[in-house]
Amino acid sequence: MALTGLFGGTFNPVHLGHLKVAEEVINRLPLDRILFIPSYIPPHKDSVEVVPVRHRLKMVEIACRSHPAFMVSEVEARRPGRSYSIVTLRKLKRSRPEDQFFFIVGTDAFLEIETWKDYDQLLRECSFIVVSRPGFGIKSLQKVIERIKPAAILVPGRRSVLKTEKLLPGSLFLLEASTPDISSTEIRKRLKAGLPITGLVPPGVERYIEKYKLYR
Ligand code: ATP
Ligand code: MG
């Protein structure tokens, strides 16, 4: 049995904000591993600017080398079409019925949870870990939390690590963290304008983007 975090996203490209999210989660919750799951075509985004999934997978794989518990999953990337979290979760549950799953999302993404397919079932079948993002503190979730009524709300402290018995499915974990103010949108804009992206992505990802001339 493993406690597995599921970190979905377009990762177009993966950046140091994503890695900080995963680091905060692995340091503050007793998860065994975090699967980064690049989506094939993002459900809520137009696909024009999205580079092919093989590039996004490779960049995430490079980024995941920074921590032994971080790994990339091709569960969504390999299936052409839109990826819905509920479908992904059930697929992963079938392949690892013993595992307990935790979706990891930034506050901006969780604010839109009610637009996700079968979100009410999703919220019951796994737990969510919501990590703050600059401009979107945990307080911004108040209204949505009132509407979705999670089974339990847990706020792990900066130092204390939560005990495993507290990890019931249907829980909502709220993590106020200081993640850097970086977005993939900003990185794509900088690359288009010929500006450097040093310090925004891991060095290996920067070299990969340079090598394949992505986002030009
Ligand atoms: P884009 O600008 O293309 O939307 P992004 O930087 O938001 O890219 P995504 O792939 O959309 O990255 O995000 C994947 C997940 O990571 C989402 O849950 C998002 O909220 C979270 N996330 C991304 N960047 C940060 C950040 N700097 N701090 C906290 N969470 C983040
Ligand atoms: Mg985004």
Side-chain angles (χ1 to χ4, degrees), residues 10-11 15 18 21 45 106 108 133 179-180 182-185 188:
T10 326
F11 300 115
H15 55 67
H18 296 129
V21 167
K45 251 177 248 182
D108 62 310
R133 185 170 188 165
T179 66
I182 301 172
S183 70
S184 302
T185 302
R188 293 193 301 273

Side-chain angles (χ1 to χ4, degrees), residues 6-22:
L6 306 176
F7 190 19
T10 326
F11 300 115
N12 185 41
V14 65
H15 55 67
L16 293 181
H18 296 129
L19 283 176
K20 178 73 174 170
V21 167

Side-chain angles (χ1 to χ4, degrees), residues 86-165:
I86 186 81
V87 177
T88 301
L89 176 71
R90 287 177 178 165
K91 198 179 255 185
L92 290 169
K93 274 191 171 175
R94 273 197 301 278
S95 64
R96 297 182 63 108
E98 300 290 292
D99 285 13
Q100 211 176 315
F101 294 100
F102 300 78
F103 266 104
I104 299 165
V105 293
T107 25
D108 62 310
F110 194 75
L111 280 172
E112 293 180 3
I113 187 78
E114 290 152 296
T115 68
W116 294 21
K117 181 178 157 66
D118 299 331
Y119 73 93
D120 43 347
Q121 292 176 48
L122 184 66
L123 285 163
R124 264 178 278 138
E125 289 177 25
C126 67
S127 293
F128 270 80
I129 302 167
V130 188
V131 181
S132 65
R133 185 170 188 165
F136 300 88
I138 289 299
K139 282 211 180 78
S140 65
L141 301 175
Q142 198 181 326
K143 290 238 163 64
V144 66
I145 289 172
E146 277 167 22
R147 288 195 297 269
I148 63 174
K149 298 186 179 60
I153 300 173
L154 293 138
V155 184
R158 291 218 175 243
R159 278 161 212 284
S160 60
V161 168
L162 271 169
K163 296 205 178 63
T164 315
E165 58 264 30

